């Protein structure tokens, strides 16, 4: 019962991780303009994402420009696009697989099949969390290095946006959920190896002695 509750908790974490992963991939605020120096423009907020660049005016107007050219983008943005899409796909697969493998569902067949499905879903979550953690870390490193570079003008410096923090939190949720699913299945299999089912064996010597005794009675 405790293991089923733990799996359900991990499934909830994975759901939040998947939703956050998709949200972080689509949001345009991976980095925002930093309000530093004397060139502060309070009427405009510029944001840059993986797929589009947006400008938000204080009047309430919002305009975005899609990034159509892939080859013109920096390497870290191309890598972030690829890994975030892979993270979304793997986490979606993990949700489908763990739905079948969880103990609180009636899908997936026998106990061994559900255990294997649960373990496979946990591996998908761990890979999805890793693929989500790498681009957010790389993207944050590029932002911080440009921010600390003295040769870059103050008006061209940026800070990490909300999408980066959402990606970090989502990756953490997916990693925790994957570890819970994998360890719950591993503990069960380990218990079966340590404590194998007892088999009742009847000693042959006792049966032979009883047979000899019965034969002597008839002599």
């Amino acid at each position: 019962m405790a293991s089923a509750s733990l799996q359900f908790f991990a499934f909830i974490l994975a759901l939040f991780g998947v939703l956050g992963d998709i949200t972080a991939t689509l949001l345009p605020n991976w980095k925002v303009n930093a309000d530093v120096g004397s060139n502060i423009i309070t009427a405009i907020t510029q944001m840059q994402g993986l797929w589009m660049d947006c400008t938000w005016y204080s009047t309430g107007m919002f305009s975005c420009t899609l990034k159509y050219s892939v080859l013109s983008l920096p390497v870290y943005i191309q890598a972030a696009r690829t890994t975030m899409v892979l993270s979304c796909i793997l986490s979606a697969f993990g949700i489908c697989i763990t739905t079948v493998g969880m103990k609180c569902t009636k899908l997936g067949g026998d106990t061994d099949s559900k255990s294997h499905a649960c373990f496979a879903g946990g591996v998908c979550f761990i890979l999805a969390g890793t693929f989500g953690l790498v681009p957010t870390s790389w993207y944050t490193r590029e932002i911080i290095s440009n921010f600390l570079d003295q040769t870059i003008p103050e008006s061209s410096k940026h800070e990490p946006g909300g999408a980066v923090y959402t990606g970090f939190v989502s990756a953490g949720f997916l990693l925790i959920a994957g570890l819970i699913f994998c360890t719950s299945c591993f503990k069960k299999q380990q218990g079966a190896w340590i404590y194998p089912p007892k088999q009742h064996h009847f000693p042959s010597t006792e049966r032979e002695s009883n047979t000899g005794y019965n034969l002597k009675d008839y002599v």
Side-chain angles (χ1 to χ4, degrees):
M1 187 66 180
S3 179
S5 302
L6 193 62
Q7 287 182 355
F8 184 75
F9 173 72
F11 186 78
I12 297 298
L13 287 180
L15 280 179
F16 282 113
V18 173
L19 294 177
D21 216 11
I22 296 173
T23 303
T25 305
L26 298 178
L27 280 177
N29 59 339
W30 277 66
K31 60 181 179 180
V32 297
N33 62 323
D35 295 335
V36 295
S38 59
N39 297 324
I40 301 176
I41 303 177
T42 58
I44 297 176
T45 301
Q46 296 178 349
M47 299 176 290
Q48 297 182 19
L50 300 181
W51 313 97
M52 64 183 71
D53 297 335
C54 296
T55 304
W56 182 43
Y57 301 92
S58 59
T59 57
M61 297 183 64
F62 195 83
S63 63
C64 294
T65 304
L66 293 175
K67 297 178 180 180
Y68 291 104
S69 179
V70 179
L71 299 178
S72 63
L73 297 174
V75 177
Y76 69 95
I77 295 181
Q78 297 180 16
R81 280 185 172 187
T82 305
T83 50
M84 288 302 293
V85 170
L86 287 175
S87 178
C88 294
I89 294 174
L90 285 172
S91 58
F93 276 138
I95 289 293
C96 297
I97 296 173
T98 51
T99 302
V100 177
M102 284 193 305
K103 294 181 179 180
C104 58
T105 61
K106 297 182 179 180
L107 305 174
D110 57 357
T111 305
D112 292 336
S113 300
K114 291 176 73 67
S115 179
H116 294 158
C118 189
F119 183 80
V123 172
C124 289
F125 287 143
I126 292 176
L127 292 177
T130 304
F131 281 134
L133 189 62
V134 169
T136 50
S137 302
W138 192 359
Y139 207 99
T140 304
R141 177 185 175 277
E142 293 293 331
I143 294 174
I144 294 175
S145 62
N146 291 334
F147 188 87
L148 298 177
D149 193 354
Q150 300 297 330
T151 61
I152 298 177
E154 298 293 334
S155 58
S156 301
K157 293 184 177 181
H158 297 82
E159 293 179 352
V164 175
Y165 300 113
T166 305
F168 273 119
V169 175
S170 303
F173 283 165
L174 291 173
L175 288 173
I176 294 172
L179 289 174
I180 291 175
F181 276 116
C182 291
T183 52
S184 63
C185 299
F186 178 74
K187 285 181 180 180
K188 182 178 180 180
Q189 294 177 358
Q190 187 179 16
W193 294 337
I194 296 176
Y195 303 104
K198 295 182 179 180
Q199 297 180 358
H200 298 281
H201 296 284
F202 297 97
S204 58
T205 56
E206 183 179 355
R207 288 185 295 178
E208 290 178 356
S209 62
N210 292 334
T211 305
Y213 179 77
N214 292 333
L215 290 175
K216 289 180 181 180
D217 291 340
Y218 290 99
V219 176

